[in-house]
Amino acid sequence: PNSGKEEIEAAVEAARAAFPGWSARSPQERSQVLHRLADLLEQSLEELAQAESRDQGKTITLARTMDIPRSVQNFRFFASSMLHHTSECTHMDHLGCLHYTVRAPVGIAGLISPWNLPLYLLTWKVAPAIATGNTVIAKPSELTSVTAWMMCKLLEKAGVPPGVVNIVFGTGPRVGEALVSHPEVPLISFTGSQPTAERITQLSAPHCKKLSLELGGKN
């Protein structure tokens, strides 16, 4: 519950080992895994909603009708959309040139989610990352981490290979900083406050990491 550098090193090692096999799977294979995980979350909707309400403080009605259903839909949406990704090609007239863009997984994604929509925003980050072939190290808020822990127990049942999704629990200064400053985590997605985002930017800059910073709903 109070992870630090040692746990991050273990998570990086696991994510690095899992990346070649997971990224080599076809989009259809990864899509099937995401759909199974969505099914398991949906089957546990009431249990997850009760836990989210107790842990976060929101009404049980809101957890039942928004948080958990949208978490399920996040996996369903990206399981479907990933099957329709296309490369981009531009023809330069009269020069005989073609410019093309091919999208490929980057490796390990470091994902940090906030306390207000615990499972919903965690899955909003995890789903597209693993759908496109990346592996993940995710840190939920230390204030509201119960449903993230509950989801951990469903990953193996859904067929997510070991090391593809790693979840670390703890505070920003201890485990968050270890994650965002690790040289083998090239992508960071963070939702939270501007002061924390400024710190993440400082720690990421020496490694030229890809950053997605959602601060007050502006990404």
Side-chain angles (χ1 to χ4, degrees):
N2 191 22
S3 299
K5 289 184 178 180
E6 288 186 10
E7 287 79 9
I8 289 297
E9 287 297 339
V12 167
E13 183 177 344
R16 184 175 59 225
F19 177 72
W22 181 246
S23 60
R25 290 199 184 191
S26 69
Q28 289 79 8
E29 290 175 311
R30 295 198 299 268
S31 176
Q32 290 170 0
V33 172
L34 265 68
H35 275 301
R36 286 197 293 268
L37 184 53
D39 291 340
L40 290 169
L41 288 169
E42 194 166 43
Q43 292 164 18
S44 304
L45 189 149
E46 181 61 23
E47 183 183 2
L48 288 164
Q50 292 281 349
E52 202 76 299
S53 178
R54 289 195 303 269
D55 193 35
Q56 199 273 345
K58 65 180 67 217
T59 65
I60 185 66
T61 299
L62 193 62
R64 279 188 190 129
T65 59
M66 186 185 75
D67 289 60
I68 309 308
R70 288 194 186 182
S71 300
V72 172
Q73 189 59 30
N74 284 340
F75 285 108
R76 294 210 196 287
F77 175 85
F78 287 104
S80 174
S81 69
M82 64 173 296
L83 299 178
H84 308 287
H85 285 179
T86 57
S87 57
E88 300 168 13
C89 182
T90 303
H91 178 238
M92 295 184 68
D93 290 337
H94 310 299
L95 295 178
C97 295
L98 288 174
H99 286 276
Y100 62 90
T101 301
V102 176
R103 301 188 183 279
V106 298
I108 303 172
L111 312 176
I112 302 175
S113 53
W115 57 269
N116 58 331
L117 296 157
L119 189 64
Y120 174 26
L121 289 182
L122 175 67
T123 55
W124 180 243
K125 296 177 185 295
V126 170
I130 64 172
T132 51
N134 299 287
T135 53
V136 159
I137 302 172
K139 189 196 96 65
S141 169
E142 67 273 18
L143 302 176
T144 53
S145 57
V146 169
T147 48
W149 170 76
M150 293 170 72
M151 187 182 75
C152 288
K153 298 192 290 183
L154 303 178
L155 296 172
E156 186 177 4
K157 290 182 180 179
V160 179
V164 170
V165 176
N166 309 274
I167 300 185
V168 291
F169 300 92
T171 64
R174 272 180 56 86
V175 72
E177 292 208 2
L179 175 59
V180 300
S181 61
H182 199 287
E184 292 187 60
V185 181
L187 183 151
I188 302 293
S189 175
F190 168 78
T191 301
S193 71
Q194 182 168 329
T196 302
E198 291 174 1
R199 179 62 176 157
I200 290 173
T201 303
Q202 293 167 357
L203 293 170
S204 301
H207 306 286
C208 295
K209 294 175 184 280
K210 299 174 185 290
L211 294 184
S212 174
L213 306 175
E214 184 186 5
L215 317 175
K218 298 290 187 183
N219 193 337

